[in-house]
Amino acid sequence: MSRRTAKKQLEIFTDSRVQHFLGRFLNGQLSKINPTLDEESGYKYPEVENLLGKKEDVEPFLDSMVNHNLLIPHISGMLACCTTCGSCRLSSENPGDSILCENCGTKMKSEYKLTPVYSYTFSLEGIQEASDRLLVKPLYDFLMERGYRIMIPGTIPGDSQVKHTFDVIAYTGHSEDSFLVVYFAISNKPVEETKVIAMFAKVYDTTPQRSIMIAVPRLTEDAMKLAEQYNIDVVETEGVSEIWRKLRTVIPPVDEFKFEALDVMTLLTLPDHLRKTATVTSKLGRATADEISDDTNRARAVESGYLNQLVRMGYLKKERDGRKVLFSVVS
């Protein structure tokens, strides 16, 4: 295989949707892709459509997986389609009558087109060849072994009420308030800072207790500086063979996942602006950003930023009560 061909083969794994799709197979959640009847288009693939979010992306996605030897197509049947527009919405009132395309109005006798409909199985050979680029399976096993409750991928609403999707959300218990997030940044060259900025925008709005970026093969120097500034833990890896060892340095077992107590000595180590926020939160006990900003005499947006920073540092916790977001000091 030429270097250019090998590079093209690897590019598909930079798409997190491919990681999630193959991860579901490797985790035993998906064994075969079967079509189901659909009144509008004739057939569809619900599992793939749910993953991609857009119906029009399904066929190109499946074709790409076949071309990369990750799926094997099998003809499940033939579907009669209009020769003019390709629609499968055909009808006939009586046997022997002309067939009418309900989409474009074309009448046909026997000249309709038969289109093959495929089911798909996973190519074990192709997946084995690509195993060093599939992050989901080892990450799933690692988090399960450490006791986390996992969503792959996971979606969570932020303070803005915008829903954000992460490659993995791992909860530390039955509560939805204590969790960490994982974001994949996979490339054929060092990952640039735009990926870190994109992750931080999501992290800032959702305030997980810990944020981890898995970068393949590594971050650029500037991207790493940003990750450190944003308090994002980075795991750089050439492949999955070394990922367990590196994950152990940033993700503790769930029973060791702890918040930091906000005692007097800790308060003294905080910058003045954060110390003021922490002190007022401690005084109020359990309060919204509006209530805390009223006490600090600072803008609500500014105070919200400080509160979320303290949450990410592990000194405050954030809980939802209906539409309210309440902050309190970790005891």
Side-chain angles (χ1 to χ4, degrees):
M1 183 185 294
S2 70
R3 181 177 297 181
R4 178 177 295 179
T5 302
K7 183 177 180 181
K8 191 172 182 180
Q9 284 286 100
L10 291 176
E11 282 178 357
I12 191 172
F13 300 106
T14 65
D15 185 343
S16 61
R17 302 175 306 172
V18 173
Q19 295 280 340
H20 300 153
F21 182 68
L22 295 178
R24 290 181 183 182
F25 166 69
L26 293 170
N27 294 336
Q29 298 170 294
L30 199 59
S31 59
K32 189 177 182 180
I33 310 300
N34 289 314
T36 61
L37 292 176
D38 180 67
E39 184 177 342
E40 182 179 340
S41 61
Y43 65 96
K44 63 180 180 179
Y45 299 94
E47 298 95 342
V48 185
E49 190 174 326
N50 290 340
L51 174 68
L52 302 183
K54 293 182 179 180
K55 190 173 183 177
E56 59 269 25
D57 291 345
V58 171
E59 295 280 358
F61 180 84
L62 291 172
D63 289 344
S64 177
M65 298 290 282
V66 170
N67 292 336
H68 285 83
N69 192 31
L70 297 170
L71 286 179
I72 301 171
H74 309 272
I75 294 180
S76 293
M78 305 295 288
L79 198 62
C81 299
C82 175
T83 54
T84 301
C85 69
S87 171
C88 301
R89 297 175 60 196
L90 308 181
S91 64
S92 176
E93 291 187 3
N94 301 298
D97 287 353
S98 295
I99 296 173
L100 175 68
C101 174
E102 296 181 4
N103 186 58
C104 70
T106 298
K107 289 185 177 181
M108 296 165 282
K109 268 291 186 183
S110 59
E111 67 274 20
Y112 53 81
K113 180 175 64 177
L114 289 175
T115 299
V117 180
Y118 295 94
S119 61
Y120 299 86
T121 55
F122 291 87
S123 169
L124 297 180
E125 179 185 358
I127 291 174
Q128 181 61 38
E129 290 177 358
S131 60
D132 201 43
R133 285 274 161 165
L134 296 176
L135 299 178
V136 171
K137 174 62 173 172
L139 182 58
Y140 176 90
D141 290 342
F142 176 83
L143 291 169
M144 288 293 289
E145 185 259 350
R146 302 231 122 181
Y148 291 89
R149 182 166 56 89
I150 310 161
M151 292 176 64
I152 301 180
T155 301
I156 189 168
D159 290 341
S160 66
Q161 300 305 310
V162 172
K163 291 183 177 180
H164 299 283
T165 298
F166 293 94
D167 294 302
V168 180
I169 298 178
Y171 294 95
T172 62
H174 296 295
S175 169
E176 303 291 306
D177 298 316
S178 177
F179 63 96
L180 60 84
V181 297
V182 182
Y183 185 90
F184 299 153
I186 309 169
S187 179
N188 294 316
K189 59 183 181 180
V191 178
E192 298 184 349
E193 55 268 28
T194 52
K195 291 287 187 181
V196 180
I197 294 169
M199 180 180 182
F200 179 69
K202 297 182 177 187
V203 167
Y204 185 85
D205 199 27
T206 55
T207 57
Q209 274 63 54
R210 183 161 291 179
S211 312
I212 299 107
M213 171 175 279
I214 299 180
V216 180
R218 63 186 182 278
L219 295 184
T220 63
E221 185 177 346
D222 286 345
M224 182 61 80
K225 288 177 181 177
L226 275 180
E228 291 172 356
Q229 179 67 28
Y230 294 158
N231 201 28
I232 295 173
D233 293 314
V234 177
V235 172
E236 296 179 313
T237 179
E238 294 284 347
V240 300
S241 57
E242 57 185 2
I243 198 170
W244 271 57
R245 176 178 58 82
K246 293 189 174 184
L247 285 172
R248 289 183 185 277
T249 65
V250 296
I251 303 179
V254 73
D255 56 357
E256 295 178 14
F257 194 96
K258 298 175 181 177
F259 294 95
E260 297 291 336
L262 195 58
D263 54 25
V264 174
M265 293 306 296
T266 303
L267 275 173
L268 292 174
T269 65
L270 293 175
D272 291 345
H273 63 288
L274 294 182
R275 187 185 309 126
K276 184 175 183 179
T277 298
T279 302
V280 170
T281 305
S282 179
K283 180 184 73 174
L284 295 177
R286 198 161 172 258
T288 65
D290 285 316
E291 292 166 337
I292 294 167
S293 65
D294 286 343
D295 201 299
T296 62
N297 292 316
R298 293 189 292 212
R300 191 262 183 206
V302 172
E303 205 58 67
S304 179
Y306 295 159
L307 287 163
N308 286 325
Q309 187 175 345
L310 287 165
V311 170
R312 288 192 295 273
M313 294 169 73
Y315 296 128
L316 298 184
K317 60 182 177 181
K318 183 169 72 170
E319 303 166 280
R320 296 185 184 276
D321 183 6
R323 294 185 63 84
K324 280 186 177 182
V325 177
L326 299 169
F327 296 89
S328 58
V329 172
V330 174
S331 56

